[in-house]
Amino acid sequence: MELQEIRKELNDYFLERREEIDIALTALIANEHCIFLGNPGVAKSQLIRAIASHINANYFEKLITRFSTEDELFGPLSIKELKENDRFVRKTENYLPNAEIAFLDEIFKANSSILNALLSIMNERIYHNGDVIQRVPLISLFGASNELPEENELLAFYDRFLFRKKVDRIKSMLNLEKLIDLDEDYKPKTTMDIEEIKKLREKIEKVDISNIKKYLIDIKMTLENEGIYISDRRFRKSVKAVKAFAFLNGKDKADENDLDILRHIYWDEPDEFYKVSITIFKISNHFSGFAMEQREILNSLMNELKKIDKDRIPLGGIEYRKVLEIFGKINSIAMTLKDVKRKAEESGKPSEFVDEVLREAEGLKKYVGELLKNQ
């Protein structure tokens, strides 16, 4: 299947971006919108462009600034129409109202007039071009931002992105080594026509979710009891997302493993992501919940290491014993994760996330081992 080939090509090139790739592809086949959040330099834009390069579609991209105008996104005014017919009409060809896939970088810098037009495009797939309502062929709009919106007028716009993902730096030391030798330019091998993407909707709609309906309701109710509100609209759209994710995973009947995609739908603030993930993992009996907890511990150990002066770790001294203790904890986490990975594979549960955290632990263990060996 071409979709699986595209998925594989992207994962072979982009290190530690498995979740981002799955989210973006799910958004594409679900006819929904997706936003990536994160600091500059984590390849948000490069990944979106790479995904778009696999699809033969009308593509539009724009970097938004505080000074961006409607002309830049929706097209220039038609002087001919204005002079001859006294009509305020934009020439939208090759601009956002004619796009099938769009990418807006630094999207929350848009002014209110642009935002209002984008809301109609994202919600109803229409653009008010003067006195004409123009149909927009948009499949998915991808956004990227270094920061979350703070103004109230941006919150409604932010809510229209069904999928949200905070993109982090590469964490595995082993992957950082691979990054050094990675080709700078991404070259797609497999492509799909946009019509093929549209045809997938009928198949996605037929995906059976009868055996996970209880899980869906339990997750919603549990999160709301914990103070995370999920609107009825977002809940309904999330069901479609689960179907699309199951289809991406080659299934015609969704199971509890496909609930993983909800982790990237049910949070508003980044601080909620951990709580949402753990809740979903627990309800779906997912081994990844343990791996996520271990990642939190690894991050804490990394922060402890940063506080230690690497050039002053005398053999047997206090700093040396601290590093030795951290090494022991990392080694213990790595051994436990190996056992968890084995159990996940034996029980038929996904182990990709466990494996990712295990690689982070092994990379950090290697780094700390070298640190101790050099003393």
Side-chain angles (χ1 to χ4, degrees):
M1 185 179 176
E2 291 169 325
L3 201 59
Q4 295 302 330
E5 287 298 318
I6 291 171
R7 192 186 196 184
K8 183 179 184 303
E9 286 177 35
L10 289 164
N11 275 294
D12 286 346
Y13 181 87
F14 289 95
L15 304 171
E16 296 184 24
R17 294 295 177 259
R18 177 185 58 84
E19 289 184 334
E20 287 83 353
I21 290 164
D22 280 357
I23 292 164
L25 291 177
T26 303
L28 198 59
I29 63 176
N31 197 27
E32 288 293 343
H33 311 300
C34 167
I35 187 159
F36 289 149
L37 304 161
N39 294 326
V42 292
K44 301 186 297 295
S45 301
Q46 186 188 16
L47 177 57
I48 294 169
R49 291 189 191 107
I51 290 166
S53 71
H54 285 279
I55 313 299
N56 298 318
N58 292 333
Y59 175 70
F60 178 83
E61 177 181 327
K62 191 68 182 175
L63 171 65
I64 306 294
T65 72
R66 289 176 297 167
F67 309 105
S68 294
T69 64
E70 292 183 66
D71 287 11
E72 296 175 53
L73 272 76
F74 311 122
L77 286 175
S78 172
I79 304 301
K80 182 179 178 181
E81 282 289 335
L82 192 59
K83 285 182 176 179
E84 295 180 4
N85 302 311
D86 198 25
R87 294 180 66 232
F88 190 89
V89 178
R90 294 186 182 279
K91 296 190 287 186
T92 59
E93 189 177 355
N94 298 323
Y95 287 88
L96 183 56
N98 267 51
E100 292 165 319
I101 299 174
F103 168 41
L104 300 181
D105 202 359
E106 291 304 321
I107 195 165
F108 296 128
K109 287 185 168 61
N111 59 47
S112 57
S113 60
I114 290 175
L115 289 176
N116 288 334
L118 285 174
L119 279 172
S120 296
I121 289 174
M122 294 174 74
N123 287 346
E124 291 86 27
R125 300 317 199 267
I126 61 172
Y127 174 63
H128 294 275
N129 192 1
D131 56 358
V132 175
I133 295 178
Q134 181 176 331
R135 292 290 168 186
V136 178
L138 187 66
I139 301 296
S140 293
L141 187 147
F142 293 92
S145 177
N146 298 333
E147 56 194 2
L148 274 170
E150 294 182 359
E151 296 91 359
N152 288 333
E153 65 177 338
L154 290 171
L155 296 179
F157 178 62
Y158 173 60
D159 186 58
R160 295 307 184 267
F161 289 98
L162 182 64
F163 298 92
R164 301 152 177 177
K165 180 67 171 71
K166 187 175 184 296
V167 184
D168 290 321
R169 58 175 174 78
I170 292 174
K171 295 183 177 180
S172 167
M173 302 289 181
L174 302 177
N175 282 334
L176 285 173
E177 291 178 7
K178 292 180 183 178
L179 185 65
I180 295 171
D181 299 320
L182 200 64
D183 289 340
E184 191 169 334
D185 296 323
Y186 179 80
K187 299 178 181 65
K189 298 175 183 176
T190 307
T191 59
M192 290 180 71
D193 291 333
I194 197 68
E195 292 303 319
E196 294 178 78
I197 298 290
K198 292 177 183 177
K199 287 177 183 176
L200 297 179
R201 292 178 196 167
E202 291 183 15
K203 295 181 180 180
I204 289 168
E205 188 59 37
K206 293 177 182 177
V207 171
D208 184 2
I209 59 164
S210 58
N211 61 337
I212 60 167
K213 284 183 178 179
K214 181 182 180 300
Y215 291 119
L216 287 164
I217 295 169
D218 285 351
I219 289 168
K220 184 179 190 298
M221 299 300 290
T222 301
L223 288 174
E224 289 187 349
N225 286 337
E226 294 178 3
I228 298 175
Y229 173 70
I230 300 161
S231 69
D232 292 344
R233 179 182 62 196
R234 183 161 285 269
F235 181 66
R236 284 180 59 85
K237 283 179 174 286
S238 72
V239 174
K240 181 174 68 171
V242 171
K243 287 184 175 185
F245 189 52
F247 180 82
L248 182 65
N249 290 326
K251 305 172 189 174
D252 55 17
K253 187 172 185 176
D255 57 40
E256 63 270 24
N257 297 326
D258 301 308
L259 297 168
D260 185 70
I261 198 68
L262 299 177
R263 297 168 51 227
H264 312 292
I265 295 175
Y266 284 165
W267 61 270
D268 287 322
E269 299 290 335
D271 291 345
E272 295 174 344
F273 176 70
Y274 182 80
K275 185 187 290 187
V276 168
S277 295
I278 293 298
T279 297
I280 291 170
F281 286 148
K282 284 180 178 178
I283 289 176
S284 61
N285 300 312
H286 210 296
F287 283 93
S288 298
F290 177 81
M292 178 164 271
E293 291 170 345
Q294 298 308 299
R295 174 179 272 177
E296 291 292 302
I297 297 172
L298 283 174
N299 287 340
S300 297
L301 293 174
M302 176 63 86
N303 289 333
E304 284 185 43
L305 276 172
K306 289 177 181 176
K307 296 175 184 176
I308 297 173
D309 188 341
K310 309 300 185 302
D311 297 323
R312 296 184 179 181
I313 308 179
L315 190 65
I318 295 175
E319 290 88 352
Y320 183 87
R321 290 198 297 272
K322 282 182 181 178
V323 176
L324 192 62
E325 183 183 350
I326 289 171
F327 180 81
K329 289 178 180 178
I330 296 168
N331 187 51
S332 177
I333 288 172
M335 291 175 63
T336 306
L337 285 169
K338 286 178 183 176
D339 187 50
V340 170
K341 181 186 175 184
R342 178 182 57 78
K343 290 178 180 177
E345 290 172 343
E346 288 175 354
S347 61
K349 294 283 185 181
S351 61
E352 292 91 348
F353 187 75
V354 179
D355 201 36
E356 287 170 12
V357 181
L358 176 58
R359 284 196 293 271
E360 289 176 28
E362 293 286 6
L364 190 56
K365 176 183 168 184
K366 179 182 176 183
Y367 169 74
V368 178
E370 290 292 329
L371 201 62
L372 290 168
K373 190 169 70 174
N374 292 333
Q375 298 305 311

